[in-house]
Amino acid sequence: MSTGSWENNVRKVVPYTPGEQPKEKVIKLNTNENPYPPSPKVKRILDEYNCDKMRLYPDPDATVLVDAIAERYNVKPSQVFVGVGSDDVISVAFLTFFNSEKPVLFPDITYSFYDVWADVYRIPFVQKPLTADFKIDPANYKCENGGIIFPNPNAPTGCEESLSMIEDIVKANPDSVVIIDEAYVDFGAESALSLIDKYENLLVIQTFSKSRSMAGMRIGYAIGSEKLIKYMNDVKFSINSYTMTPLTQLCGAEAIKDEEYFVNTVKKIVDTREYSKKKLAELGFEFTDSKSNFIFASHKSKPASEIFAALKEKKIFVRYWNKPRISNHLRITVGTPEEMDELFAALKEILK
Ligand code: PMP
């Protein structure tokens, strides 16, 4: 085989490692999926879909979906950007707004995709340490920067940050875009959406993957000032105009209109989360006061790595990272009450 120096010019990156998607049947509490199906209105769309329509390209503006999201959040359609899951939306936001020589700031313990996007787009970044109890110290975000992003509630800690603290950070940073990743906000934190009319540099990103049970459909969205959304669309339309399939657009629009189903599903998960906190405490676990659909827990005596491996043996998958500061923690997605009871029974055996 001939060899040349072409590899010197390859964009080399260390990719993000998604949670495992096992082929066999397991109790799957490792990727924060919703244990309940999407709204029955989504099923109706799928049942009635006419495949002939697939000949045509989709609406590049995803108008039905954008309009439905705008209506749900009482904003203008020109304030809504949609993408293929919030991963796609965050990626476009990194490319659009984090375009300076100054470092982008995010917590040291957070969604482990942020440093990967920064890396692939060659964006400098600095990770700011969370406090000992895994909270954001706003003082860390009052220095020169090329942008700020963090989730609320944070992942994988589940900790909520107050709206006043978020506003404090946004107010201190009029020269950069501040992104709040609200993937888990519906499970108990306060959204920063109420601030978008006040700060044109504040972008809020949410997803259909968690509270709306549609991780497999891949729908995420950003809401912010018309200016921010226009800049994101300019970048998106410079890469791929047709990101959302017609079916995705229709299913998403129906799902977001079904408020009653959404409220009920979220309540079931929050109730199971609070029940699970009691059970985990009885088993000797310590954890943050999660406001998300997962619990970030460590055991008083048994190392997390051992519990993780023992659970896997029993075909119960949770998430574990062998990383500084969190290597003795497990992130456990809140499943159905039945799944959680199976988890607790397994933990009881492992810990005895
Ligand atoms: N943000 C955070 C904090 C997440 O945990 C996830 C899920 N892995 C995402 C964004 C992306 O989710 P999705 O692309 O499914 O919307």
Short mmCIF file of all heavy atoms in Angstrom, two decimals, residues 158-191:
data_model
loop_
_atom_site.label_atom_id
_atom_site.label_comp_id
_atom_site.label_asym_id
_atom_site.label_seq_id
_atom_site.Cartn_x
_atom_site.Cartn_y
_atom_site.Cartn_z
N GLY A 158 -27.28 16.04 38.66
CA GLY A 158 -28.71 16.23 38.92
C GLY A 158 -29.01 17.50 39.70
O GLY A 158 -30.17 17.79 40.00
N CYS A 159 -27.97 18.27 40.05
CA CYS A 159 -28.17 19.46 40.89
C CYS A 159 -28.79 20.62 40.11
O CYS A 159 -28.38 20.92 38.98
CB CYS A 159 -26.83 19.95 41.44
SG CYS A 159 -26.08 18.81 42.58
N GLU A 160 -29.71 21.28 40.78
CA GLU A 160 -30.38 22.44 40.18
C GLU A 160 -29.63 23.72 40.56
O GLU A 160 -29.13 23.82 41.68
CB GLU A 160 -31.80 22.49 40.74
CG GLU A 160 -32.57 23.73 40.39
CD GLU A 160 -33.84 23.88 41.25
OE1 GLU A 160 -33.87 23.34 42.37
OE2 GLU A 160 -34.77 24.53 40.80
N GLU A 161 -29.56 24.66 39.65
CA GLU A 161 -29.03 25.99 39.98
C GLU A 161 -30.20 26.98 39.95
O GLU A 161 -31.12 26.82 39.14
CB GLU A 161 -27.96 26.42 38.98
CG GLU A 161 -26.72 25.52 38.96
CD GLU A 161 -25.91 25.52 40.25
OE1 GLU A 161 -26.14 26.41 41.10
OE2 GLU A 161 -25.07 24.62 40.42
N SER A 162 -30.14 27.98 40.81
CA SER A 162 -31.27 28.91 40.89
C SER A 162 -31.29 29.86 39.70
O SER A 162 -30.25 30.16 39.10
CB SER A 162 -31.19 29.72 42.19
OG SER A 162 -30.15 30.67 42.07
N LEU A 163 -32.49 30.34 39.40
CA LEU A 163 -32.63 31.28 38.30
C LEU A 163 -31.88 32.58 38.59
O LEU A 163 -31.30 33.20 37.69
CB LEU A 163 -34.12 31.55 38.08
CG LEU A 163 -34.51 32.16 36.75
CD1 LEU A 163 -34.02 31.31 35.59
CD2 LEU A 163 -36.02 32.33 36.66
N SER A 164 -31.85 32.97 39.86
CA SER A 164 -31.16 34.23 40.19
C SER A 164 -29.66 34.09 39.96
O SER A 164 -29.00 35.02 39.49
CB SER A 164 -31.47 34.66 41.63
OG SER A 164 -31.10 33.65 42.51
N MET A 165 -29.11 32.91 40.25
CA MET A 165 -27.68 32.69 40.00
C MET A 165 -27.40 32.70 38.49
O MET A 165 -26.42 33.28 38.03
CB MET A 165 -27.26 31.36 40.63
CG MET A 165 -25.77 31.15 40.71
SD MET A 165 -25.07 30.65 39.15
CE MET A 165 -25.39 28.93 39.17
N ILE A 166 -28.31 32.09 37.74
CA ILE A 166 -28.13 32.07 36.27
C ILE A 166 -28.19 33.50 35.72
O ILE A 166 -27.36 33.91 34.91
CB ILE A 166 -29.19 31.15 35.62
CG1 ILE A 166 -28.87 29.69 35.98
CG2 ILE A 166 -29.25 31.34 34.10
CD1 ILE A 166 -29.91 28.68 35.56
N GLU A 167 -29.15 34.27 36.21
CA GLU A 167 -29.27 35.65 35.74
C GLU A 167 -28.02 36.46 36.11
O GLU A 167 -27.53 37.26 35.31
CB GLU A 167 -30.52 36.33 36.31
CG GLU A 167 -30.65 37.77 35.81
CD GLU A 167 -32.04 38.37 35.93
OE1 GLU A 167 -32.89 37.81 36.64
OE2 GLU A 167 -32.26 39.43 35.29
N ASP A 168 -27.49 36.19 37.29
CA ASP A 168 -26.27 36.85 37.74
C ASP A 168 -25.13 36.59 36.72
O ASP A 168 -24.40 37.52 36.32
CB ASP A 168 -25.93 36.28 39.13
CG ASP A 168 -24.70 36.91 39.74
OD1 ASP A 168 -24.48 38.09 39.47
OD2 ASP A 168 -23.98 36.20 40.47
N ILE A 169 -25.01 35.35 36.27
CA ILE A 169 -23.95 34.99 35.31
C ILE A 169 -24.22 35.65 33.95
O ILE A 169 -23.31 36.20 33.32
CB ILE A 169 -23.83 33.45 35.17
CG1 ILE A 169 -23.26 32.86 36.46
CG2 ILE A 169 -22.97 33.07 33.98
CD1 ILE A 169 -23.13 31.34 36.47
N VAL A 170 -25.48 35.61 33.50
CA VAL A 170 -25.80 36.20 32.19
C VAL A 170 -25.53 37.70 32.22
O VAL A 170 -24.92 38.27 31.28
CB VAL A 170 -27.28 35.92 31.80
CG1 VAL A 170 -27.60 36.54 30.45
CG2 VAL A 170 -27.56 34.42 31.77
N LYS A 171 -25.97 38.34 33.30
CA LYS A 171 -25.80 39.79 33.43
C LYS A 171 -24.32 40.19 33.41
O LYS A 171 -23.94 41.22 32.86
CB LYS A 171 -26.43 40.23 34.76
CG LYS A 171 -26.92 41.67 34.77
CD LYS A 171 -27.41 42.07 36.14
CE LYS A 171 -28.91 41.95 36.25
NZ LYS A 171 -29.39 42.27 37.60
N ALA A 172 -23.49 39.33 33.99
CA ALA A 172 -22.05 39.64 34.08
C ALA A 172 -21.32 39.40 32.76
O ALA A 172 -20.14 39.71 32.64
CB ALA A 172 -21.43 38.79 35.18
N ASN A 173 -22.04 38.83 31.75
CA ASN A 173 -21.37 38.44 30.51
C ASN A 173 -22.06 38.96 29.25
O ASN A 173 -22.41 38.17 28.36
CB ASN A 173 -21.26 36.91 30.46
CG ASN A 173 -20.21 36.39 31.40
OD1 ASN A 173 -19.02 36.45 31.12
ND2 ASN A 173 -20.66 35.91 32.56
N PRO A 174 -22.22 40.29 29.14
CA PRO A 174 -22.93 40.81 27.96
C PRO A 174 -22.13 40.62 26.67
O PRO A 174 -22.70 40.73 25.58
CB PRO A 174 -23.09 42.31 28.29
CG PRO A 174 -21.99 42.61 29.26
CD PRO A 174 -21.78 41.35 30.05
N ASP A 175 -20.85 40.29 26.78
CA ASP A 175 -20.01 40.20 25.57
C ASP A 175 -19.87 38.77 25.04
O ASP A 175 -19.10 38.53 24.11
CB ASP A 175 -18.62 40.78 25.85
CG ASP A 175 -18.73 42.25 26.24
OD1 ASP A 175 -19.69 42.91 25.78
OD2 ASP A 175 -17.88 42.73 27.02
N SER A 176 -20.55 37.81 25.68
CA SER A 176 -20.50 36.46 25.11
C SER A 176 -21.87 35.81 25.20
O SER A 176 -22.75 36.28 25.92
CB SER A 176 -19.43 35.61 25.81
OG SER A 176 -19.49 35.78 27.18
N VAL A 177 -22.02 34.73 24.45
CA VAL A 177 -23.30 34.02 24.49
C VAL A 177 -23.27 33.02 25.65
O VAL A 177 -22.30 32.31 25.85
CB VAL A 177 -23.56 33.30 23.14
CG1 VAL A 177 -24.79 32.40 23.23
CG2 VAL A 177 -23.72 34.33 22.03
N VAL A 178 -24.35 33.03 26.42
CA VAL A 178 -24.48 32.11 27.56
C VAL A 178 -25.57 31.10 27.19
O VAL A 178 -26.70 31.48 26.85
CB VAL A 178 -24.85 32.86 28.85
CG1 VAL A 178 -25.02 31.87 30.01
CG2 VAL A 178 -23.81 33.92 29.18
N ILE A 179 -25.20 29.81 27.24
CA ILE A 179 -26.14 28.75 26.86
C ILE A 179 -26.51 27.93 28.09
O ILE A 179 -25.63 27.44 28.81
CB ILE A 179 -25.51 27.81 25.80
CG1 ILE A 179 -25.09 28.61 24.56
CG2 ILE A 179 -26.50 26.70 25.43
CD1 ILE A 179 -24.39 27.77 23.50
N ILE A 180 -27.81 27.80 28.33
CA ILE A 180 -28.27 26.92 29.41
C ILE A 180 -28.87 25.68 28.76
O ILE A 180 -29.84 25.76 28.00
CB ILE A 180 -29.32 27.61 30.32
CG1 ILE A 180 -28.85 29.02 30.74
CG2 ILE A 180 -29.62 26.74 31.55
CD1 ILE A 180 -27.59 29.08 31.55
N ASP A 181 -28.26 24.54 29.04
CA ASP A 181 -28.68 23.27 28.47
C ASP A 181 -29.72 22.66 29.42
O ASP A 181 -29.38 22.12 30.47
CB ASP A 181 -27.43 22.38 28.34
CG ASP A 181 -27.73 20.96 27.88
OD1 ASP A 181 -28.92 20.62 27.72
OD2 ASP A 181 -26.76 20.21 27.68
N GLU A 182 -30.98 22.77 29.02
CA GLU A 182 -32.07 22.36 29.91
C GLU A 182 -32.65 21.00 29.52
O GLU A 182 -33.86 20.79 29.52
CB GLU A 182 -33.17 23.44 29.94
CG GLU A 182 -32.67 24.75 30.54
CD GLU A 182 -33.78 25.78 30.79
OE1 GLU A 182 -34.92 25.54 30.34
OE2 GLU A 182 -33.50 26.80 31.44
N ALA A 183 -31.76 20.04 29.22
CA ALA A 183 -32.22 18.70 28.81
C ALA A 183 -33.15 18.08 29.85
O ALA A 183 -34.06 17.34 29.51
CB ALA A 183 -31.01 17.80 28.56
N TYR A 184 -32.89 18.39 31.14
CA TYR A 184 -33.64 17.72 32.22
C TYR A 184 -34.54 18.68 33.00
O TYR A 184 -35.05 18.33 34.06
CB TYR A 184 -32.64 17.06 33.18
CG TYR A 184 -31.74 16.07 32.48
CD1 TYR A 184 -30.44 16.41 32.11
CD2 TYR A 184 -32.22 14.81 32.12
CE1 TYR A 184 -29.62 15.51 31.43
CE2 TYR A 184 -31.41 13.91 31.44
CZ TYR A 184 -30.11 14.27 31.11
OH TYR A 184 -29.32 13.37 30.44
N VAL A 185 -34.74 19.88 32.50
CA VAL A 185 -35.39 20.93 33.29
C VAL A 185 -36.82 20.57 33.70
O VAL A 185 -37.28 20.95 34.77
CB VAL A 185 -35.35 22.28 32.54
CG1 VAL A 185 -36.39 22.34 31.43
CG2 VAL A 185 -35.48 23.45 33.48
N ASP A 186 -37.52 19.80 32.84
CA ASP A 186 -38.93 19.52 33.12
C ASP A 186 -39.14 18.67 34.37
O ASP A 186 -40.26 18.58 34.88
CB ASP A 186 -39.58 18.82 31.92
CG ASP A 186 -39.62 19.71 30.69
OD1 ASP A 186 -39.77 20.93 30.86
OD2 ASP A 186 -39.49 19.19 29.57
N PHE A 187 -38.08 18.04 34.86
CA PHE A 187 -38.23 17.16 36.03
C PHE A 187 -38.06 17.92 37.35
O PHE A 187 -37.96 17.30 38.40
CB PHE A 187 -37.24 16.00 35.95
CG PHE A 187 -37.44 15.15 34.73
CD1 PHE A 187 -36.54 15.19 33.67
CD2 PHE A 187 -38.54 14.31 34.63
CE1 PHE A 187 -36.72 14.41 32.54
CE2 PHE A 187 -38.74 13.52 33.50
CZ PHE A 187 -37.83 13.57 32.46
N GLY A 188 -37.99 19.25 37.30
CA GLY A 188 -38.00 19.95 38.59
C GLY A 188 -37.21 21.23 38.72
O GLY A 188 -37.33 21.90 39.74
N ALA A 189 -36.43 21.62 37.73
CA ALA A 189 -35.69 22.88 37.87
C ALA A 189 -36.49 24.02 37.21
O ALA A 189 -37.46 23.78 36.48
CB ALA A 189 -34.32 22.77 37.21
N GLU A 190 -36.06 25.25 37.48
CA GLU A 190 -36.76 26.39 36.90
C GLU A 190 -36.08 26.78 35.59
O GLU A 190 -34.85 26.94 35.55
CB GLU A 190 -36.71 27.57 37.89
CG GLU A 190 -37.76 28.60 37.59
CD GLU A 190 -37.79 29.72 38.64
OE1 GLU A 190 -37.15 29.58 39.70
OE2 GLU A 190 -38.43 30.74 38.36
N SER A 191 -36.87 26.93 34.54
CA SER A 191 -36.28 27.24 33.23
C SER A 191 -35.82 28.69 33.16
O SER A 191 -36.43 29.58 33.76
CB SER A 191 -37.31 26.99 32.13
OG SER A 191 -36.81 27.45 30.90
#
